[in-house]
Amino acid sequence: MNIKQAKEQIKIAMQAYFTKDAFGNYRIPIEKQRPIFLMGPPGIGKTAIMEQIAQELGVGLVSYSMTHHTRQSALGLPFIEHKTYGGREYAVSEYTMSEIIASVYDMMETTGVTEGILFLDEVNCVSETLAPSMLQFLQYKVFGRHRVPEGWIVVTAGNPPEYNRSVREFDIVTWDRLKRIDVEPDYDVWKEYAYARSTHPAILTYLDIKKPDFYKIESSVDGKTFVTARGWSDLSDMIRLCEENGSPVNEQLIGQYLQNRKIAKDFAVYYDLFNKYRADYEIDRILAGKAGEEVKARAKAARFDERLSLLGLLLDGALEQLKAVCCEEDALRELLQALKSVRLELAKPNADPEAVLQKQIDEKHKRLEQGRRASTLSADQQFALHRTAAALEELRALMQKERPESGEAAFKLLKAEFDKLTKALKAQADAAGKSLSNLFTFCEEVFPEGQELLILVTELTISNYGARFISRYGCKEYFAHNKELLFYERQKEIITELESLDL
């Protein structure tokens, strides 16, 4: 299955494992909860989906790679304890708490999170001395004498033997204690994740043209060459930063992430061409509805690969604006909840507006710190909390400057500032919506007969920010062409059904 299907299977298992009876006990006792084992090639996104699941379910995440653990570090160190049995004292071997189990308790102590995921990667690469103890752990969730706390679900992962020489084959006894999920690379599924993390448009448009380059592991006379989903994601982050800092993005840099010489070279050539399109087409002017006739004429005459690159640039520019609106909306919603609490506090006699706001600021920073430690906050959620804390700081400074005479007067000032932010968000959303309309208008004029408009609608649909913005603020051009897309898809289904009939 692909990584998206695997994610859903893990969430289903976790929701089942978290289910309690009427007395608050887990319906499936911890020793009966089969650990999940994700089997798949390296760099496919196994760790990434665990972070997403933890954030979506609001539970903690503790991750460990088992490759560097010895028997002692995993099980704990032995020590002598004196105990009395039948009136006689005996020296008994005990174990200190495992570093792995202790890290779960540390997470619970520092964040207050009581349920979560213990994710153990590379479990089929453990050392020879640790291997026998893994079977006991997988069945009873115990390292040494210490068990994984109730409410913490064990998820494991590993690579097939062909990708890692250190892999130890599990026997049937071990496999019979695991929920095994085999995962394969899938570009179309990864693309949804790529949009969510604002992957560089040069990478997305290149892979749209050359999908086989998305994931490739080969053996050659020079050894193993490989390109993975992780490599593309990390390369995207580096390209974004290099562009911001004015640093060169060349074949040498690309080859550090795409460790296949031919693919690295091909993408380096494409990236240079992509940047030429960026300069030639004046993307900002197109989104502003000011595209020149020369630009339109070039787009009409362009080959499909150039059109696809142009579409990627336009989508990136538009989605950046849509994302900004969505993130600002999240922050404003978080601020609204904070101000509701502030209002209740200000209604109390002798309330200090600065102290009340400071309390909310401290609460946001506490949630940020706990969320980072527990891996329960997505990047967008962290942005919303940071932005809210900054807005509350500005409001606190306003209280310090204005010195309102009462709680009612203080809240009136706060509401006036919140209304300004709401008005600014509306203006920002209107501008983003106008850019989106201009994008459709441009494509309708220069690509009236091509597939570009269907591609545009599809890309906006799979983009989290695109779909969310349109559902919230609308876009008449999108809905008009979406009907065409639905008809086109149904038409393809009918043709396929007819071809399959034996007439």
Side-chain angles (χ1 to χ4, degrees):
M1 65 181 71
N2 61 48
I3 202 74
K4 185 177 181 180
Q5 294 167 330
K7 177 181 172 181
E8 288 306 309
Q9 288 297 312
I10 295 170
K11 288 178 72 174
I12 290 169
M14 290 184 62
Q15 287 165 346
Y17 289 165
F18 284 140
T19 302
K20 297 178 181 178
D21 62 21
F23 304 102
N25 301 312
Y26 289 100
R27 295 276 294 276
I28 302 178
I30 188 169
E31 64 272 11
K32 295 293 186 181
Q33 294 176 3
R34 286 195 175 202
I36 297 158
F37 186 94
L38 280 174
M39 175 72 88
I44 199 174
K46 298 187 289 291
T47 304
I49 65 165
M50 297 317 304
E51 294 172 352
Q52 293 171 31
I53 291 170
Q55 291 160 10
E56 290 170 15
L57 296 182
V59 299
L61 175 64
V62 174
S63 301
Y64 266 94
S65 173
M66 297 303 295
T67 52
H68 74 280
H69 275 287
T70 63
R71 186 175 184 277
Q72 288 75 21
S73 64
L75 301 186
L77 295 172
F79 65 92
I80 303 299
E81 180 74 19
H82 292 278
K83 294 187 177 182
T84 301
Y85 300 112
R88 294 186 59 184
E89 187 178 90
Y90 297 89
V92 181
S93 295
E94 291 279 1
Y95 285 87
T96 58
M97 183 175 284
S98 160
E99 172 192 335
I100 297 171
I101 303 297
S103 65
V104 175
Y105 280 103
D106 286 341
M107 167 80 74
M108 294 169 68
E109 287 291 320
T110 57
T111 66
V113 173
T114 58
E115 294 182 326
I117 306 165
L118 174 58
F119 179 57
L120 304 180
D121 201 3
E122 311 291 356
V123 293
N124 55 348
C125 295
V126 296
S127 64
E128 188 174 348
T129 56
L130 180 56
S133 302
M134 284 303 300
L135 178 59
Q136 180 190 26
F137 174 76
L138 293 174
Q139 182 171 5
Y140 299 107
K141 320 300 184 298
V142 173
F143 271 138
R145 296 287 298 275
H146 303 279
R147 177 180 288 191
V148 176
E150 282 199 344
W152 284 76
I153 292 165
V154 178
V155 180
T156 63
N159 303 135
E162 60 265 31
Y163 297 106
N164 193 327
R165 295 177 183 176
S166 302
V167 165
R168 306 174 63 84
E169 287 285 358
F170 284 167
D171 54 28
I172 293 175
V173 175
T174 305
W175 282 125
D176 196 36
R177 287 170 168 79
L178 298 171
K179 280 173 61 70
R180 175 170 171 168
I181 299 176
D182 291 279
V183 191
E184 297 292 335
D186 186 319
Y187 170 67
D188 291 327
V189 168
W190 177 82
K191 191 173 181 179
E192 294 181 37
Y193 162 78
Y195 268 126
R197 69 188 307 274
S198 301
T199 298
H200 197 281
I203 289 175
L204 293 176
T205 51
Y206 174 84
L207 291 175
D208 281 337
I209 299 167
K210 295 191 174 185
K211 286 187 180 181
D213 288 356
F214 168 61
Y215 197 100
K216 187 174 290 188
I217 297 179
E218 297 176 330
S219 297
S220 67
V221 291
D222 298 322
K224 288 276 188 183
T225 65
F226 58 91
V227 177
T228 68
R230 182 193 296 128
W232 287 112
S233 294
D234 292 346
L235 175 60
S236 171
D237 294 339
M238 181 56 72
I239 291 175
R240 293 279 193 193
L241 292 171
C242 285
E243 289 178 347
E244 286 180 24
N245 298 327
S247 303
V249 177
N250 51 34
E251 187 178 341
Q252 288 72 33
L253 174 70
I254 293 167
Q256 296 164 24
Y257 296 88
L258 311 180
Q259 300 193 39
N260 177 302
R261 190 173 298 173
K262 181 180 184 304
I263 294 176
K265 184 175 183 178
D266 286 350
F267 179 71
V269 171
Y270 178 80
Y271 177 75
D272 289 340
L273 190 61
F274 185 86
N275 279 332
K276 184 177 185 301
Y277 296 151
R278 192 201 302 265
D280 291 351
Y281 278 105
E282 300 177 321
I283 302 303
D284 290 342
R285 288 183 60 81
I286 294 176
L287 294 178
K290 299 177 181 178
E293 293 303 319
E294 186 178 338
V295 165
K296 292 178 184 178
R298 174 172 175 175
K300 288 178 181 178
R303 296 181 309 176
F304 182 71
D305 58 343
E306 183 173 334
R307 290 183 174 194
L308 204 59
S309 298
L310 172 58
L311 202 57
L313 284 163
L314 291 168
L315 266 168
D316 185 58
L319 286 174
E320 187 177 339
Q321 295 181 47
L322 306 189
K323 177 182 178 180
V325 172
C326 292
C327 290
E328 196 64 29
E329 192 177 66
D330 287 343
L332 210 57
R333 189 178 294 112
E334 186 74 36
L335 180 60
L336 176 61
Q337 294 303 315
L339 291 180
K340 285 180 179 179
S341 298
V342 168
R343 184 177 190 176
L344 293 174
E345 292 291 324
L346 290 177
K348 297 176 181 179
N350 303 317
D352 180 355
E354 289 182 54
V356 171
L357 287 167
Q358 185 60 54
K359 181 181 176 182
Q360 285 295 320
I361 294 167
D362 293 340
E363 190 268 338
K364 301 307 172 200
H365 286 304
K366 182 180 179 181
R367 280 177 58 192
L368 272 167
E369 183 60 27
Q370 289 180 340
R372 277 196 291 259
R373 284 176 176 269
S375 299
T376 55
L377 293 178
S378 67
D380 287 352
Q381 289 169 326
Q382 290 184 46
F383 172 85
L385 286 171
H386 274 299
R387 183 75 182 85
T388 302
L392 289 168
E393 289 278 10
E394 292 174 4
L395 294 174
R396 190 176 68 83
L398 178 66
M399 294 297 103
Q400 194 174 36
K401 177 184 176 183
E402 297 294 334
R403 301 286 184 185
E405 297 179 356
S406 65
E408 184 179 353
F411 188 76
K412 189 175 180 180
L413 282 171
L414 296 175
K415 185 179 184 305
E417 292 301 311
F418 182 81
D419 289 344
K420 288 180 185 177
L421 293 174
T422 303
K423 187 176 180 181
L425 175 62
K426 185 180 184 307
Q428 186 180 5
D430 288 345
K434 184 63 176 173
S435 292
L436 192 57
S437 293
N438 290 335
L439 169 54
F440 272 101
T441 300
F442 177 81
C443 290
E444 287 167 350
E445 184 174 348
V446 299
F447 309 131
E449 304 297 332
Q451 298 294 310
E452 289 78 12
L453 280 162
L454 294 179
I455 292 172
L456 174 58
V457 170
T458 303
E459 302 299 283
L460 285 169
T461 303
I462 67 173
S463 163
N464 174 50
Y465 301 115
R468 181 177 159 189
F469 179 92
I470 291 168
S471 67
R472 176 74 174 85
Y473 297 98
C475 177
K476 64 180 188 298
E477 296 88 354
Y478 168 86
F479 291 119
H481 290 288
N482 193 38
K483 289 180 182 177
E484 294 176 18
L485 175 62
L486 294 174
F487 174 77
Y488 173 73
E489 292 297 330
R490 181 57 187 147
Q491 188 182 46
K492 286 200 301 182
E493 289 176 12
I494 293 170
I495 291 170
T496 303
E497 289 170 9
L498 287 172
E499 289 176 346
S500 66
L501 294 175
D502 186 12
L503 300 177

